Structure formats: C-alpha cells, structure tokens
Amino acid sequence: MIESPLSLHPSPAGGEGSLPVLSVVVIGRNEGERLVRCLESVRTMADPGGPVELIYVDSASTDGSPERAAALGAQVITVRPERPSAALGRNAGWRAARAPLVLFLDGDTILHPRFVADSLPEFQDPGVAVVWGHRRELHPDASWYNRVLDLDWIYPPGPSEFCGGDAIMRRDALTEVDGFDASLIAGEEPDLCRRLRARGYHILHVDRPMTGHDLAITRWRQYWRRAVRAGHAYAEVAARFRRTETPLWEREVRRNRIHGGILILSLPLGIGGALVGQPLVPLLVLGSWLALTVRTALRVGWKSRDPWTRLLYGIHSHLQQIPILVGQLGYYRDRWRGRRRGLIE
C-alpha cells in the first residue's frame, strides 16, 4: 500500500476541529483495478493545504470495489437505485461531504498530482463555482477509438458553459441548486452548470492537466453505445429546457438531426446509384464524405499535430452523428411510450 502524504478523513467522526479542506468524491461500478489506481492517485496528490476527505460511492458493484475502497481509506457509500445514474452517485457523495470544496472523479480516472493544489486558488474569486482542467486518455494508442476520442476531451481554457465529470465545485453552490439532476442518465454536468450560471456563478476551465482517463473502448459496439448515450442526453436535456430563458443543446440537437439524417440518406443513395448503373452518384457521395472529413481534420489542427490522428478524428466527427441520431430517436420513442430509459453503459 502506498504511504500517503495527506491526512485522510474517511468518515465524519473527526469532529469540527479537523474539518477537511477538500472532499474527494469518487463514483464507480465494477471498475476493478482502475478504481484502486484512482484512489491511490488521490492519496498521493500534492498537499492542498489541509486534510482531505475521501468518499467512494459505489453503484452495486459485484467485483469487490467497496472493500477495495475501504482498504485504501475511503468512506464507502453504496447506492442501489432502480435507475442508476452518475448524478445519483455524485449527489450521495457531496451530500455526505464536509469540506467547502468537493472534487468529483470517475473511478476510471487518475488524478494529476498537482491539479488540486494549483487550482484551489481559483476559488478566491467568490463567483467561481466550478474549476476543471484537461482530461486526457491514458492509452490513446490502445485502439483507434481511444485515439480519436482523446481529442474530444480537449477544450479551450477560460470561462465555459459546462464542465465534465471531473471537476472541483463549491459545496455551497451545489446546495443552492440542489446538486445534480438524478433523473438524467447522461448530460448531468451541463445541466448543473446551466443552473449555476443562471444564479450568476462562473465555470472556469483552466489550462493544466487534471486527470488521465481510461475509456478502454476496443470494439465497435462500445463506440456505438457511447454515441447513442450522447444522443439520448442531447435530446432529453434540450427537451427539458426548451422554451425557457436559458435553453441548452437545442442547436446541437437540431444540427444532429440534419447532419445525421443526410448521412443516413446518403448511404442508400450511393448504393442505389451503383445498382442502376450510375457510378457518378456513389462517387459524389464518397467525395462529399471525404470533403467533410478533411475539413474537420484541418479545423482541429490546434488539438493535435499528428495528421493521421486528425484524419481519424474527422471520420469520427461525422460518423458518430448516426448513432447520436439513433439515441435522439430512442429518447423520443421512449417518451411517446411513457417509458424511462435505464443507464446506457
């Protein structure tokens, strides 16, 4: 076991005189050794200036994750909801936390040792409610899926409209907006940030490494389901805030319907043209796809210097529009039937 330079407070028994300066809430479900790696990265981070409280929220794991977390000094909370969601786990964690600042981590991440110590001064501005940094893939060369999705994590630093799952947040601000919306199976962070911004708070994306992430996507089915999940989130969140003063994701939903619809229709168009002896039609379809791919690859030059990675990312940017549209349609179908979709893993 790695010796930690931090003073960990795994349970609320420490008393008022030893309140932590930071609570770390890690959520997970059957993460295995990835969870151990995550918790050890918390234990060995640079001292943030006081004791740290470590909380692990488990969503009914069957691989011994709660026992592993407890052995590493974490307070363990187990949730067994009928409809699991990341939001529910995060809510359980921050509501049990005692520190004024809460760092949220997913169990498949590794915390950069300097992120917290370097980022806490940002909260000297009382208007800052959320600080988040750069999340990058740990194994981008393990598969082309990891390689291109790594670029999806890259955002320009500065004030932003939303954050990802890894971020430091003010506990008072979370209390003010009643935390994450546990009815959402995805998109809970942008929804939370929207409500925080409506109350005058700022979301700050800082130009420093925050976490390493392990997508571990090696199969088409995993890639497809991830994009379907994103489409469901876009549609659900956009529908919820449509016709409000602060809509969210309406443009993304509308753009995906057009983009994904055109791509889907182009496939039978190209095949049909070839079958009826019109070779120019499939060539035009293929040329259009290639032009879109190259244009995107050129536009993301600031994300990567590697032209092959950028070309793959260009393919991904357009290809994913099809399963995203499928996810949108699935949401509308379930809503029409009066059903609520379970977690898409």
PDB file of all heavy atoms in Angstrom, residues 139-159:
ATOM      1  N   HIS A 139      -4.343   5.716 -22.557  1.00  0.00           N
ATOM      2  CA  HIS A 139      -3.836   4.776 -23.552  1.00  0.00           C
ATOM      3  C   HIS A 139      -4.428   5.111 -24.929  1.00  0.00           C
ATOM      4  O   HIS A 139      -5.196   4.318 -25.487  1.00  0.00           O
ATOM      5  CB  HIS A 139      -4.193   3.341 -23.151  1.00  0.00           C
ATOM      6  CG  HIS A 139      -3.796   2.990 -21.749  1.00  0.00           C
ATOM      7  ND1 HIS A 139      -2.472   2.892 -21.365  1.00  0.00           N
ATOM      8  CD2 HIS A 139      -4.535   2.732 -20.644  1.00  0.00           C
ATOM      9  CE1 HIS A 139      -2.418   2.581 -20.077  1.00  0.00           C
ATOM     10  NE2 HIS A 139      -3.649   2.480 -19.623  1.00  0.00           N
ATOM     11  N   PRO A 140      -4.060   6.244 -25.492  1.00  0.00           N
ATOM     12  CA  PRO A 140      -4.639   6.630 -26.787  1.00  0.00           C
ATOM     13  C   PRO A 140      -4.256   5.700 -27.923  1.00  0.00           C
ATOM     14  O   PRO A 140      -4.953   5.643 -28.941  1.00  0.00           O
ATOM     15  CB  PRO A 140      -4.091   8.048 -27.012  1.00  0.00           C
ATOM     16  CG  PRO A 140      -2.849   8.105 -26.191  1.00  0.00           C
ATOM     17  CD  PRO A 140      -3.119   7.267 -24.989  1.00  0.00           C
ATOM     18  N   ASP A 141      -3.164   4.954 -27.766  1.00  0.00           N
ATOM     19  CA  ASP A 141      -2.721   4.059 -28.833  1.00  0.00           C
ATOM     20  C   ASP A 141      -3.279   2.646 -28.689  1.00  0.00           C
ATOM     21  O   ASP A 141      -2.968   1.767 -29.507  1.00  0.00           O
ATOM     22  CB  ASP A 141      -1.191   3.997 -28.874  1.00  0.00           C
ATOM     23  CG  ASP A 141      -0.581   5.337 -29.252  1.00  0.00           C
ATOM     24  OD1 ASP A 141      -1.221   6.065 -30.033  1.00  0.00           O
ATOM     25  OD2 ASP A 141       0.516   5.659 -28.753  1.00  0.00           O
ATOM     26  N   ALA A 142      -4.119   2.413 -27.661  1.00  0.00           N
ATOM     27  CA  ALA A 142      -4.671   1.074 -27.460  1.00  0.00           C
ATOM     28  C   ALA A 142      -5.673   0.710 -28.548  1.00  0.00           C
ATOM     29  O   ALA A 142      -5.858  -0.463 -28.855  1.00  0.00           O
ATOM     30  CB  ALA A 142      -5.324   0.976 -26.087  1.00  0.00           C
ATOM     31  N   SER A 143      -6.340   1.702 -29.122  1.00  0.00           N
ATOM     32  CA  SER A 143      -7.287   1.474 -30.206  1.00  0.00           C
ATOM     33  C   SER A 143      -7.529   2.795 -30.915  1.00  0.00           C
ATOM     34  O   SER A 143      -7.267   3.868 -30.356  1.00  0.00           O
ATOM     35  CB  SER A 143      -8.615   0.922 -29.674  1.00  0.00           C
ATOM     36  OG  SER A 143      -9.306   1.909 -28.922  1.00  0.00           O
ATOM     37  N   TRP A 144      -8.025   2.720 -32.152  1.00  0.00           N
ATOM     38  CA  TRP A 144      -8.301   3.972 -32.848  1.00  0.00           C
ATOM     39  C   TRP A 144      -9.457   4.706 -32.182  1.00  0.00           C
ATOM     40  O   TRP A 144      -9.547   5.931 -32.252  1.00  0.00           O
ATOM     41  CB  TRP A 144      -8.568   3.727 -34.334  1.00  0.00           C
ATOM     42  CG  TRP A 144      -9.951   3.265 -34.679  1.00  0.00           C
ATOM     43  CD1 TRP A 144     -10.390   2.004 -34.826  1.00  0.00           C
ATOM     44  CD2 TRP A 144     -11.082   4.117 -34.945  1.00  0.00           C
ATOM     45  NE1 TRP A 144     -11.726   1.981 -35.157  1.00  0.00           N
ATOM     46  CE2 TRP A 144     -12.171   3.272 -35.239  1.00  0.00           C
ATOM     47  CE3 TRP A 144     -11.277   5.494 -34.968  1.00  0.00           C
ATOM     48  CZ2 TRP A 144     -13.444   3.757 -35.542  1.00  0.00           C
ATOM     49  CZ3 TRP A 144     -12.540   5.983 -35.263  1.00  0.00           C
ATOM     50  CH2 TRP A 144     -13.604   5.117 -35.541  1.00  0.00           C
ATOM     51  N   TYR A 145     -10.327   3.977 -31.482  1.00  0.00           N
ATOM     52  CA  TYR A 145     -11.415   4.629 -30.754  1.00  0.00           C
ATOM     53  C   TYR A 145     -10.840   5.538 -29.660  1.00  0.00           C
ATOM     54  O   TYR A 145     -11.221   6.705 -29.540  1.00  0.00           O
ATOM     55  CB  TYR A 145     -12.328   3.575 -30.110  1.00  0.00           C
ATOM     56  CG  TYR A 145     -12.925   2.585 -31.071  1.00  0.00           C
ATOM     57  CD1 TYR A 145     -12.470   1.272 -31.124  1.00  0.00           C
ATOM     58  CD2 TYR A 145     -13.960   2.947 -31.924  1.00  0.00           C
ATOM     59  CE1 TYR A 145     -13.024   0.343 -31.995  1.00  0.00           C
ATOM     60  CE2 TYR A 145     -14.522   2.033 -32.804  1.00  0.00           C
ATOM     61  CZ  TYR A 145     -14.047   0.732 -32.835  1.00  0.00           C
ATOM     62  OH  TYR A 145     -14.602  -0.171 -33.697  1.00  0.00           O
ATOM     63  N   ASN A 146      -9.937   4.992 -28.848  1.00  0.00           N
ATOM     64  CA  ASN A 146      -9.302   5.800 -27.809  1.00  0.00           C
ATOM     65  C   ASN A 146      -8.559   6.984 -28.406  1.00  0.00           C
ATOM     66  O   ASN A 146      -8.562   8.082 -27.855  1.00  0.00           O
ATOM     67  CB  ASN A 146      -8.317   4.945 -27.008  1.00  0.00           C
ATOM     68  CG  ASN A 146      -9.002   4.006 -26.041  1.00  0.00           C
ATOM     69  OD1 ASN A 146     -10.215   3.850 -26.065  1.00  0.00           O
ATOM     70  ND2 ASN A 146      -8.217   3.361 -25.206  1.00  0.00           N
ATOM     71  N   ARG A 147      -7.929   6.738 -29.531  1.00  0.00           N
ATOM     72  CA  ARG A 147      -7.088   7.763 -30.156  1.00  0.00           C
ATOM     73  C   ARG A 147      -7.902   8.984 -30.574  1.00  0.00           C
ATOM     74  O   ARG A 147      -7.504  10.116 -30.316  1.00  0.00           O
ATOM     75  CB  ARG A 147      -6.380   7.152 -31.369  1.00  0.00           C
ATOM     76  CG  ARG A 147      -5.331   8.035 -32.010  1.00  0.00           C
ATOM     77  CD  ARG A 147      -4.590   7.231 -33.054  1.00  0.00           C
ATOM     78  NE  ARG A 147      -3.553   7.974 -33.705  1.00  0.00           N
ATOM     79  CZ  ARG A 147      -2.734   7.466 -34.605  1.00  0.00           C
ATOM     80  NH1 ARG A 147      -2.846   6.183 -34.949  1.00  0.00           N
ATOM     81  NH2 ARG A 147      -1.800   8.200 -35.173  1.00  0.00           N
ATOM     82  N   VAL A 148      -9.043   8.760 -31.196  1.00  0.00           N
ATOM     83  CA  VAL A 148      -9.827   9.907 -31.657  1.00  0.00           C
ATOM     84  C   VAL A 148     -10.666  10.492 -30.529  1.00  0.00           C
ATOM     85  O   VAL A 148     -10.852  11.729 -30.462  1.00  0.00           O
ATOM     86  CB  VAL A 148     -10.725   9.531 -32.850  1.00  0.00           C
ATOM     87  CG1 VAL A 148      -9.895   9.052 -34.011  1.00  0.00           C
ATOM     88  CG2 VAL A 148     -11.761   8.484 -32.473  1.00  0.00           C
ATOM     89  N   LEU A 149     -11.172   9.662 -29.628  1.00  0.00           N
ATOM     90  CA  LEU A 149     -11.995  10.181 -28.544  1.00  0.00           C
ATOM     91  C   LEU A 149     -11.161  10.976 -27.546  1.00  0.00           C
ATOM     92  O   LEU A 149     -11.703  11.808 -26.803  1.00  0.00           O
ATOM     93  CB  LEU A 149     -12.722   9.035 -27.842  1.00  0.00           C
ATOM     94  CG  LEU A 149     -13.818   8.363 -28.686  1.00  0.00           C
ATOM     95  CD1 LEU A 149     -14.326   7.096 -28.014  1.00  0.00           C
ATOM     96  CD2 LEU A 149     -14.965   9.326 -28.951  1.00  0.00           C
ATOM     97  N   ASP A 150      -9.859  10.744 -27.516  1.00  0.00           N
ATOM     98  CA  ASP A 150      -8.972  11.558 -26.685  1.00  0.00           C
ATOM     99  C   ASP A 150      -9.087  13.036 -27.063  1.00  0.00           C
ATOM    100  O   ASP A 150      -9.058  13.919 -26.192  1.00  0.00           O
ATOM    101  CB  ASP A 150      -7.524  11.083 -26.842  1.00  0.00           C
ATOM    102  CG  ASP A 150      -6.542  11.929 -26.051  1.00  0.00           C
ATOM    103  OD1 ASP A 150      -6.803  12.181 -24.863  1.00  0.00           O
ATOM    104  OD2 ASP A 150      -5.526  12.350 -26.628  1.00  0.00           O
ATOM    105  N   LEU A 151      -9.254  13.326 -28.339  1.00  0.00           N
ATOM    106  CA  LEU A 151      -9.375  14.716 -28.777  1.00  0.00           C
ATOM    107  C   LEU A 151     -10.709  15.324 -28.376  1.00  0.00           C
ATOM    108  O   LEU A 151     -10.835  16.551 -28.306  1.00  0.00           O
ATOM    109  CB  LEU A 151      -9.189  14.818 -30.295  1.00  0.00           C
ATOM    110  CG  LEU A 151      -7.869  14.322 -30.874  1.00  0.00           C
ATOM    111  CD1 LEU A 151      -7.728  14.768 -32.329  1.00  0.00           C
ATOM    112  CD2 LEU A 151      -6.681  14.814 -30.067  1.00  0.00           C
ATOM    113  N   ASP A 152     -11.696  14.492 -28.122  1.00  0.00           N
ATOM    114  CA  ASP A 152     -12.994  15.006 -27.667  1.00  0.00           C
ATOM    115  C   ASP A 152     -12.893  15.676 -26.302  1.00  0.00           C
ATOM    116  O   ASP A 152     -13.751  16.481 -25.938  1.00  0.00           O
ATOM    117  CB  ASP A 152     -14.021  13.873 -27.589  1.00  0.00           C
ATOM    118  CG  ASP A 152     -14.801  13.699 -28.882  1.00  0.00           C
ATOM    119  OD1 ASP A 152     -14.687  14.554 -29.774  1.00  0.00           O
ATOM    120  OD2 ASP A 152     -15.541  12.696 -29.000  1.00  0.00           O
ATOM    121  N   TRP A 153     -11.861  15.312 -25.512  1.00  0.00           N
ATOM    122  CA  TRP A 153     -11.709  15.895 -24.178  1.00  0.00           C
ATOM    123  C   TRP A 153     -11.089  17.284 -24.211  1.00  0.00           C
ATOM    124  O   TRP A 153     -11.058  17.971 -23.182  1.00  0.00           O
ATOM    125  CB  TRP A 153     -10.833  15.000 -23.300  1.00  0.00           C
ATOM    126  CG  TRP A 153     -11.285  13.599 -23.071  1.00  0.00           C
ATOM    127  CD1 TRP A 153     -10.542  12.468 -23.247  1.00  0.00           C
ATOM    128  CD2 TRP A 153     -12.560  13.149 -22.590  1.00  0.00           C
ATOM    129  NE1 TRP A 153     -11.273  11.344 -22.911  1.00  0.00           N
ATOM    130  CE2 TRP A 153     -12.520  11.736 -22.509  1.00  0.00           C
ATOM    131  CE3 TRP A 153     -13.742  13.809 -22.227  1.00  0.00           C
ATOM    132  CZ2 TRP A 153     -13.599  10.971 -22.079  1.00  0.00           C
ATOM    133  CZ3 TRP A 153     -14.822  13.044 -21.801  1.00  0.00           C
ATOM    134  CH2 TRP A 153     -14.743  11.659 -21.724  1.00  0.00           C
ATOM    135  N   ILE A 154     -10.554  17.702 -25.348  1.00  0.00           N
ATOM    136  CA  ILE A 154      -9.780  18.942 -25.398  1.00  0.00           C
ATOM    137  C   ILE A 154     -10.695  20.135 -25.675  1.00  0.00           C
ATOM    138  O   ILE A 154     -11.376  20.188 -26.697  1.00  0.00           O
ATOM    139  CB  ILE A 154      -8.684  18.856 -26.478  1.00  0.00           C
ATOM    140  CG1 ILE A 154      -7.764  17.673 -26.199  1.00  0.00           C
ATOM    141  CG2 ILE A 154      -7.884  20.152 -26.532  1.00  0.00           C
ATOM    142  CD1 ILE A 154      -6.698  17.456 -27.252  1.00  0.00           C
ATOM    143  N   TYR A 155     -10.688  21.085 -24.744  1.00  0.00           N
ATOM    144  CA  TYR A 155     -11.462  22.314 -24.880  1.00  0.00           C
ATOM    145  C   TYR A 155     -10.540  23.504 -24.636  1.00  0.00           C
ATOM    146  O   TYR A 155      -9.568  23.403 -23.874  1.00  0.00           O
ATOM    147  CB  TYR A 155     -12.612  22.363 -23.870  1.00  0.00           C
ATOM    148  CG  TYR A 155     -13.663  21.306 -24.067  1.00  0.00           C
ATOM    149  CD1 TYR A 155     -13.568  20.065 -23.429  1.00  0.00           C
ATOM    150  CD2 TYR A 155     -14.760  21.527 -24.887  1.00  0.00           C
ATOM    151  CE1 TYR A 155     -14.541  19.088 -23.607  1.00  0.00           C
ATOM    152  CE2 TYR A 155     -15.741  20.561 -25.068  1.00  0.00           C
ATOM    153  CZ  TYR A 155     -15.617  19.347 -24.424  1.00  0.00           C
ATOM    154  OH  TYR A 155     -16.574  18.390 -24.607  1.00  0.00           O
ATOM    155  N   PRO A 156     -10.824  24.654 -25.223  1.00  0.00           N
ATOM    156  CA  PRO A 156     -10.005  25.835 -24.954  1.00  0.00           C
ATOM    157  C   PRO A 156     -10.194  26.314 -23.523  1.00  0.00           C
ATOM    158  O   PRO A 156     -11.309  26.243 -22.983  1.00  0.00           O
ATOM    159  CB  PRO A 156     -10.533  26.871 -25.961  1.00  0.00           C
ATOM    160  CG  PRO A 156     -11.919  26.420 -26.290  1.00  0.00           C
ATOM    161  CD  PRO A 156     -11.883  24.922 -26.213  1.00  0.00           C
ATOM    162  N   PRO A 157      -9.125  26.767 -22.861  1.00  0.00           N
ATOM    163  CA  PRO A 157      -9.250  27.238 -21.475  1.00  0.00           C
ATOM    164  C   PRO A 157      -9.983  28.571 -21.407  1.00  0.00           C
ATOM    165  O   PRO A 157     -10.102  29.291 -22.390  1.00  0.00           O
ATOM    166  CB  PRO A 157      -7.790  27.381 -21.036  1.00  0.00           C
ATOM    167  CG  PRO A 157      -7.026  27.610 -22.297  1.00  0.00           C
ATOM    168  CD  PRO A 157      -7.739  26.827 -23.356  1.00  0.00           C
ATOM    169  N   GLY A 158     -10.479  28.871 -20.210  1.00  0.00           N
ATOM    170  CA  GLY A 158     -11.197  30.114 -19.982  1.00  0.00           C
ATOM    171  C   GLY A 158     -12.599  29.844 -19.465  1.00  0.00           C
ATOM    172  O   GLY A 158     -12.959  28.701 -19.156  1.00  0.00           O
ATOM    173  N   PRO A 159     -13.423  30.880 -19.368  1.00  0.00           N
ATOM    174  CA  PRO A 159     -14.820  30.681 -18.943  1.00  0.00           C
ATOM    175  C   PRO A 159     -15.529  29.738 -19.901  1.00  0.00           C
ATOM    176  O   PRO A 159     -15.357  29.818 -21.112  1.00  0.00           O
ATOM    177  CB  PRO A 159     -15.410  32.096 -19.002  1.00  0.00           C
ATOM    178  CG  PRO A 159     -14.237  33.005 -18.904  1.00  0.00           C
ATOM    179  CD  PRO A 159     -13.108  32.303 -19.582  1.00  0.00           C
TER     180      PRO A 159
END
